[in-house]
Amino acid sequence: MKVVTMSALGCLLAAAFLSTQINPDAYREGYSRDPLLRAEVNQSSLARILGEFRTGASDMLFIKTERYLHSGVGYVPHLTEDLLTVQGTDKGVDEHLAEMGDAEEDVFEHEEEAEVLVPRAESDYRGWIGDMHREIKPWLDPSIPHRHTDGKELIPWFKMMTLSDPGYIRGYVVGAFWLKRHQPEAAMAFIEEGLKENPEAFQLHLSKGMLLLSEARKRAGKGKLPGDTPESLEKVLLAKDAVQLAATYMLSSRPPLPEQGDITDDPGWGKYEESDAMAAVNLSVMLESDFGDPETAQILREQFRPLMPDNPRLQ
Amino acid sequence: MSSVPHQVGCVMKGSLLELWRRQDVWILFLLMGVYTMVALGARITGDGTLASGTFMLNLGISLAGYFANGFTALIAIRQFPDEIENRTIYPLLAKPLTRDSLLIGKWCACFVGGSLAFLAFHLIALVVSPASEPISGTLHLQYLLLQFLSLGWIAAAGLLLSLILPRSLGLGILLLMYAGGESLFQWGESREVALRYLLPRFGSLNVATRLTDGIPALKAAEVGSMILYAVAWALFCFLLARHSLLRRSL
């Protein structure tokens, strides 16, 4: 009996040791992690039929954030190449909040006419069922400017999204930029959490650099440039390290330049990834040139030029 | 006294016959039928892109895995309680049949029953899914192997829990471990809890998303670790189940 107990204990210890070696989800690319392919899936009728029975919980949660942003009204998801970049995300959130006007208000009106998931009465073949649907669900006529919330309610969804899929880089990036507006320290902690899970994700290093630059701008104060004060300079130097790491990791994940055509023709490298790569390189060179060693900046320019021959900042 | 393999074979056949007579697997086939209708609808209408086809394939093979593991857990958890409640265990042991043969036979029946159901569900998912992005053939084979190991593990865990806990509590715990073990491990990892390595990570054997993400096959060392991990856990459960059955007064 003792032998059996000892063998069982041995098996448990062996399993515990082997558990340290197993991580089948440790990969970065993949069809389900490509935001454009996700958007394509979300717009297909299959996804609409299956509704929220989704294999990727993080994907479902991302859709949920759109609902929260629009006070519960379901609009057809809209994603552009520009909005998928780290800088585009930051800018998008900025523009979104800049239109708010009164800071006390938690919603503002957005003028753009968007396509709603539940159609208008005149184009809804369901008759009274459609009328009832529009009455019992949050719904706004698409001709009326739609309302955006200030994004506070979105934040827990980003956390849940990354809990369910720690490899979901975009969840960390978008979540951090929303958090930045409300709690900058928490935004940085969120990005650090993402980096712990995905240490080689260059978009996360780039996001960290941009958050640090934003903090540097804030510390410099009005009328001064980032780096003008010692507190601001400290953040700029940290940002420089972060974007240089971003550029280094970008080099290892970017496919080689094709002999013909554009690098974004590569199915594994979209336009938004190339935009992020360019942002990492440009920021890395610019910060090194302005706040580091100009000779190192020149070396960086020469290092990146063959990879991005058309980039004017590397000339 | 007949040989052990013969005894095991007899127990296994009897248990499989019992599984066949019950309705559980047909309910799961009906649920797979709902998936089949949606997938076939997409195929017939030609709707969707390769990306949505990949999503459907992922959904199909994930459902196949979940259903088969759930089914195996359900049949494993009631093997001994049913025999004890119906008092059919007494004539079995008086045949004479050793308790070891009974345990191995029951495990084999659960494993074979679960594996056949898994193969059928998986085949349905593969056949009816619309065209998808290319996937690695080797990883596909690795996925199948790991799922079979997962079924063997869940069968052993089910038998163990049925011997030490009331049936419904055991089933609840087993399904929670299956569905939440990996998430709990990830949670423990983010907080650096050392005990996380002792958690049963059924989810770590599920590489369905990796497969439909078009990622290349796992390296030999990686897949070897996963195989050994599943075998170690299955053996652990099996040995404890044996210990519990041998000590149990019937």
Side-chain angles (χ1 to χ4, degrees):
Chain A
M1 202 58 77
K2 240 183 186 175
V3 179
V4 175
T5 318
M6 292 305 286
S7 310
L9 195 66
C11 285
L12 183 65
L13 290 176
F17 167 72
L18 289 162
S19 184
T20 62
Q21 312 294 312
I22 298 174
N23 194 5
D25 291 331
Y27 61 91
R28 277 190 51 226
E29 295 83 15
Y31 306 131
S32 71
R33 293 180 179 179
D34 184 323
L36 276 185
L37 290 182
R38 274 179 179 236
E40 211 173 278
V41 173
N42 291 341
Q43 284 173 14
S44 75
S45 53
L46 277 177
R48 290 188 197 176
I49 291 169
L50 291 167
E52 298 190 343
F53 288 100
R54 311 300 304 275
T55 43
S58 59
D59 196 17
M60 181 184 94
L61 294 169
F62 202 91
I63 293 173
K64 208 77 180 158
T65 60
E66 287 245 347
R67 292 282 172 97
Y68 270 61
L69 194 62
H70 297 122
S71 309
V73 181
Y75 289 93
V76 174
H78 52 279
L79 267 183
T80 60
E81 291 269 7
D82 189 40
L83 273 177
L84 288 171
T85 65
V86 173
Q87 284 185 313
T89 304
D90 192 19
K91 201 172 141 214
V93 176
D94 256 347
E95 281 172 0
H96 186 104
L97 292 177
E99 291 174 47
M100 283 187 72
D102 186 356
E104 296 301 312
E105 292 273 327
D106 69 337
V107 290
F108 72 100
E109 294 193 341
H110 196 62
E111 291 298 333
E112 172 195 322
E113 182 160 324
E115 197 186 337
V116 276
L117 287 175
V118 180
R120 285 183 200 183
E122 53 266 33
S123 52
D124 193 345
Y125 66 91
R126 297 175 301 165
W128 65 271
I129 296 176
D131 292 339
M132 195 166 70
H133 200 173
R134 281 181 290 278
E135 283 300 322
I136 60 171
K137 283 278 193 186
W139 189 81
L140 261 186
D141 193 303
S143 62
I144 301 170
H146 66 263
R147 291 153 68 88
H148 276 183
T149 62
D150 71 350
K152 270 186 204 157
E153 286 178 321
L154 270 63
I155 291 166
W157 290 107
F158 289 110
K159 180 69 188 167
M160 283 172 67
M161 203 180 289
T162 53
L163 269 180
S164 72
D165 180 5
Y168 190 28
I169 311 291
R170 188 157 164 73
Y172 287 110
V173 175
V174 184
F177 285 118
W178 276 108
L179 258 173
K180 186 180 101 174
R181 273 73 194 177
H182 304 289
Q183 285 177 299
E185 301 81 21
M188 187 55 83
F190 194 45
I191 284 289
E192 290 289 0
E193 190 185 308
L195 279 170
K196 202 172 157 193
E197 297 288 347
N198 312 278
E200 294 181 9
F202 83 94
Q203 291 97 332
L204 290 179
H205 288 283
L206 178 62
S207 304
K208 183 180 170 182
M210 290 178 59
L211 288 174
L212 285 163
L213 275 181
S214 156
E215 186 61 24
R217 250 177 247 124
K218 209 185 285 174
R219 288 191 181 198
K222 275 188 180 170
K224 288 188 177 170
L225 290 171
D228 278 359
T229 64
E231 303 84 43
S232 174
L233 183 63
E234 184 196 334
K235 292 288 168 189
V236 171
L237 293 177
L238 287 173
K240 180 173 77 91
D241 293 342
V243 293
Q244 285 183 354
L245 263 178
T248 309
Y249 283 122
M250 177 277 293
L251 286 180
S252 57
S253 54
R254 188 176 186 253
L257 277 176
E259 285 180 13
Q260 283 185 333
D262 200 69
I263 190 162
T264 52
D265 297 337
D266 189 306
W269 194 257
K271 279 182 186 156
Y272 57 95
E273 277 160 321
E274 185 59 10
S275 299
D276 282 340
M278 208 172 275
V281 165
N282 289 346
L283 272 173
S284 158
V285 171
M286 189 190 83
L287 291 177
E288 188 61 50
S289 167
D290 294 352
F291 299 96
D293 176 17
E295 278 181 22
T296 311
Q298 190 53 34
I299 293 169
L300 285 175
R301 266 188 211 102
E302 280 159 20
Q303 184 191 345
F304 292 128
R305 198 177 298 138
L307 300 167
M308 296 178 176
D310 303 328
N311 187 345
R313 297 200 185 221
L314 300 178
Q315 305 310 319
Chain B
M1 187 196 231
S2 54
S3 65
V4 171
H6 179 70
Q7 289 181 359
V8 169
C10 286
V11 174
M12 193 178 121
K13 260 194 255 172
S15 300
L16 279 175
L17 195 64
E18 178 70 17
L19 293 184
W20 185 252
R21 286 178 182 154
R22 285 185 177 261
Q23 309 297 316
D24 321 305
V25 75
W26 305 118
I27 293 170
L28 292 174
F29 268 111
L30 275 179
L31 291 175
M32 274 310 277
V34 175
Y35 166 80
T36 305
M37 282 197 298
V38 175
L40 282 179
R43 273 184 89 119
I44 293 165
T45 56
D47 173 66
T49 58
L50 285 180
S52 54
T54 309
F55 159 69
M56 282 301 289
L57 178 66
N58 178 277
L59 183 65
I61 63 174
S62 298
L63 282 179
Y66 297 147
F67 286 170
N69 278 282
F71 174 63
T72 309
L74 188 69
I75 57 179
I77 210 86
R78 65 178 179 220
Q79 288 299 320
F80 284 107
D82 276 7
E83 297 279 13
I84 294 168
E85 268 174 32
N86 299 333
R87 297 173 178 268
T88 44
I89 197 164
Y90 301 107
L92 278 177
L93 291 176
K95 268 266 195 175
L97 194 70
T98 64
R99 292 192 184 193
D100 278 334
S101 302
L102 186 64
L103 183 67
I104 298 172
K106 294 278 183 199
W107 178 83
C108 288
C110 298
F111 175 64
V112 171
S115 300
L116 288 175
F118 171 67
L119 274 181
F121 295 153
H122 188 76
L123 213 62
I124 291 173
L126 284 186
V127 171
V128 302
S129 291
S132 64
E133 304 275 4
I135 57 171
S136 156
T138 315
L139 184 59
H140 195 178
L141 290 177
Q142 290 174 343
Y143 165 74
L144 291 175
L145 173 66
L146 291 170
Q147 279 304 298
F148 286 129
L149 289 169
S150 169
L151 293 170
W153 174 11
I154 210 163
L159 291 175
L160 166 65
L161 290 174
S162 75
L163 286 166
I164 56 174
L165 291 173
R167 193 170 23 190
S168 26
L169 180 64
L171 180 64
I173 290 177
L174 185 55
L175 292 179
L176 268 178
M177 283 197 311
Y178 174 72
E182 182 66 8
S183 306
L184 206 59
F185 174 84
Q186 301 289 351
W187 179 85
E189 191 157 67
S190 64
R191 279 153 187 78
E192 296 180 352
V193 181
L195 283 177
R196 68 185 182 276
Y197 294 118
L198 291 173
L199 287 169
R201 297 169 59 194
F202 287 99
S204 70
L205 301 180
N206 185 355
V207 290
T209 305
R210 186 185 175 101
L211 175 68
T212 55
D213 263 354
I215 304 298
L218 291 157
K219 288 180 193 144
E222 285 176 303
V223 82
S225 299
M226 291 160 90
I227 291 170
L228 287 177
Y229 177 72
V231 170
W233 261 109
L235 260 178
F236 169 74
C237 295
F238 194 83
L239 287 172
L240 284 191
R242 180 179 180 271
H243 180 71
S244 173
L245 183 65
L246 292 184
R247 286 170 63 97
R248 192 176 181 125
S249 63
L250 292 167

